Amino acid sequence: MNYPESLLQWIWENLQFQFTSLKTTLGEDIEIISPGTLNKGAGPDFKNAALFIRGVQWHGSIEIHLDGDDWYQHGHQHDPAYSSVVLHVVLTGSHIPAETVHGRVPHTLHIEPYLQTSLAGLLKTRQSSALPCSGSVTYLNQQAFEKQIEMAHKEYFEYKLHELLKLYDARRLPSDAWKKAFIGQIYRTLGVPGNSDNMLELYHKVSGKSNGYSSPEEWAEYVTEEAFSGNADKIWTKSGMRPAGCPERRVAQAAALQYAIDRYPQAQFLGKGLSSWGSLIRSVPGGQRPGQTSLSILEYTVFLPALYLLGKLFHDRTLMTGSYGQWKSGVPRLPSGISKPFLEAGFQIPPSSPKTGLVHQYKRYCSERRCHRCEVFKTAIRS
């Protein structure tokens, strides 16, 4: 997997390279007076940069690409917004010069030869499925890893809150909007890894209809029919699924939980707080409940953030403090494979390490190659 372009932007912005002896691809000396200001909107990556190139001062924009050919792949040669570019910074690719819509040719800097050795080594792993820091773990990196996992643990809670808020319909009464967001997130989570979107779409299709059914079994049968009848069956990912995770089973489990939540008074969530999860699950028939690992995942990644959101909606500090405190200190049952890539990279995982932090770290940092935002990466390039 390739690194995102934001990594190269970070390298440029923080001057994480040998910037005192830079030369363009034509051999002209470059002196950086200011790398510019990162542009978070459309147009070049950095604006208001200041450079000396061959003794001439330049003011303008900087455009950054992992591959030099991306200038043309992205159509910048036709876009007037890129007319202000004075330097095209590239990691790899051809040395075909960029050209603006007006025919001007910005200078080009091939930055890879100027990168620090440790940073260049990490970048060379970009096509590997292993963690970028694999095989280079030191005592300092282990300390940074433990600090990073703690940060990722906190971020994961905020991430799950954000997912709930995206499902929260502010046009509804708060109690109704909260319950629908809670159930929708349960459907989505039970769809992991390959059917999250399908599960959420299914919930939107059947939302608000369970009250017309007299038993959870009858309701689950209806939802299953809606999910798999006719051509609808073709949209589900089934290959490679373990029996416990097959979509037919997950749909039935989500329907049973929905049936229970629709009938669970919101006053009970507010009054019982953390203990409401146990009483809610006990109201679901045993044969329709998810397994213990799935229930633990739902409790920590859906119920606790949802309870925190409920406390926030109703200004209940006790509910907010209790749910977040349980998130911080609890030890959910998660699949053992979550630790595998970190152990293979050479890290040690202390028993007290928050495993939900490992999930967020792998999904949102390692898999997406957001290394420049990781404490391990920053420690590695400083050491």
Side-chain angles (χ1 to χ4, degrees):
M1 177 181 291
N2 284 318
Y3 283 94
E5 204 168 88
S6 59
L7 172 57
L8 202 53
Q9 292 172 351
W10 178 86
I11 290 171
W12 175 261
E13 183 177 28
N14 293 278
L15 301 178
Q16 292 292 330
F17 52 93
Q18 299 171 18
F19 56 86
T20 58
S21 57
L22 300 175
K23 291 184 181 295
T24 69
T25 52
L26 297 179
E28 302 163 316
D29 292 333
I30 304 174
E31 179 185 348
I32 301 174
I33 302 169
S34 169
T37 304
L38 181 62
N39 175 27
K40 297 182 179 179
D45 294 308
F46 289 86
K47 294 188 174 182
N48 303 315
L51 312 166
F52 273 109
I53 300 178
R54 203 173 58 181
V56 178
Q57 190 167 359
W58 294 79
H59 292 271
S61 302
I62 309 292
E63 178 63 8
I64 292 177
H65 289 123
L66 292 172
D67 190 303
D69 294 335
D70 287 346
W71 178 276
Y72 293 99
Q73 293 292 328
H74 298 170
H76 297 335
Q77 73 274 25
H78 304 304
D79 191 341
Y82 291 84
S83 297
S84 62
V85 172
V86 296
L87 184 67
H88 185 209
V89 180
V90 303
L91 180 66
T92 59
S94 71
H95 294 291
I96 299 174
E99 186 174 328
T100 70
V101 68
H102 301 301
R104 190 175 57 79
V105 178
H107 299 281
T108 300
L109 169 64
H110 181 209
I111 201 171
E112 188 173 24
Y114 302 99
L115 296 177
Q116 300 175 35
T117 303
S118 55
L119 181 53
L122 287 170
L123 282 167
K124 286 178 181 178
T125 67
R126 64 182 180 275
Q127 297 296 343
S128 170
S129 60
L131 299 189
C133 45
S134 181
S136 60
V137 176
T138 65
Y139 172 71
L140 288 176
N141 290 353
Q142 175 65 30
Q143 287 185 311
F145 170 71
E146 293 176 19
K147 178 181 178 182
Q148 176 65 29
I149 296 307
E150 289 290 342
M151 292 171 55
H153 185 55
K154 179 181 178 182
E155 283 182 14
Y156 197 26
F157 190 80
E158 295 167 353
Y159 179 84
K160 288 300 179 182
L161 269 177
H162 182 65
E163 282 194 331
L164 281 164
L165 286 170
K166 286 194 292 186
L167 297 178
Y168 184 88
D169 187 350
R171 296 169 298 182
R172 296 180 176 273
L173 290 172
S175 56
D176 185 42
W178 174 82
K179 185 169 281 192
K180 288 184 178 299
F182 179 29
I183 298 171
Q185 188 70 343
I186 283 178
Y187 266 77
R188 179 157 58 187
T189 302
L190 283 173
V192 171
N195 289 303
S196 294
D197 292 341
N198 293 334
M199 288 287 280
L200 187 57
E201 185 176 340
L202 174 63
Y203 173 63
H204 290 318
K205 189 176 181 180
V206 302
S207 176
K209 299 179 181 179
S210 76
N211 289 332
Y213 292 80
S214 59
S215 73
E217 292 81 7
E218 184 183 352
W219 169 245
E221 184 178 344
Y222 164 74
V223 175
T224 300
E225 178 67 20
E226 287 293 309
F228 302 109
S229 61
N231 291 330
D233 183 61
K234 297 178 182 178
I235 68 172
W236 297 89
T237 299
K238 299 182 181 182
S239 62
M241 294 283 182
R242 294 181 178 180
C246 69
E248 289 84 359
R249 178 170 292 190
R250 293 302 193 198
V251 165
Q253 292 168 349
L257 286 166
Q258 178 189 0
Y259 189 89
I261 295 170
D262 278 340
R263 285 155 180 76
Y264 198 86
Q266 190 169 65
Q268 297 278 20
F269 285 114
L270 287 165
K272 290 187 174 183
L274 294 174
S275 64
S276 61
W277 177 254
S279 58
L280 173 68
I281 297 304
R282 286 191 292 274
S283 70
V284 178
Q288 293 183 299
R289 294 176 197 164
Q292 289 302 311
T293 298
S294 294
L295 282 175
S296 184
I297 291 171
L298 289 172
E299 180 182 4
Y300 277 84
T301 66
V302 181
F303 171 69
L304 291 179
L307 199 63
Y308 182 94
L309 177 60
L310 184 64
K312 195 168 185 177
L313 289 171
F314 288 89
H315 308 287
D316 189 328
R317 295 293 303 177
T318 302
L319 211 57
M320 294 168 66
T321 302
S323 55
Y324 186 64
Q326 180 65 15
W327 169 274
K328 285 183 65 177
S329 60
V331 183
R333 297 178 58 164
L334 297 175
S336 57
I338 287 170
S339 303
K340 184 178 179 181
F342 301 102
L343 294 173
E344 290 180 344
F347 293 108
Q348 299 175 20
I349 301 177
S352 60
S353 183
K355 288 188 176 180
T356 47
L358 293 174
V359 175
H360 190 67
Q361 176 68 23
Y362 186 74
K363 288 184 177 180
R364 305 291 174 304
Y365 285 88
C366 303
S367 292
E368 296 181 5
R369 293 303 200 245
R370 294 173 63 224
C371 303
H372 55 298
R373 303 191 184 280
C374 175
E375 289 297 315
V376 178
F377 175 87
K378 293 174 183 177
T379 299
I381 65 172
R382 287 194 298 261
S383 58

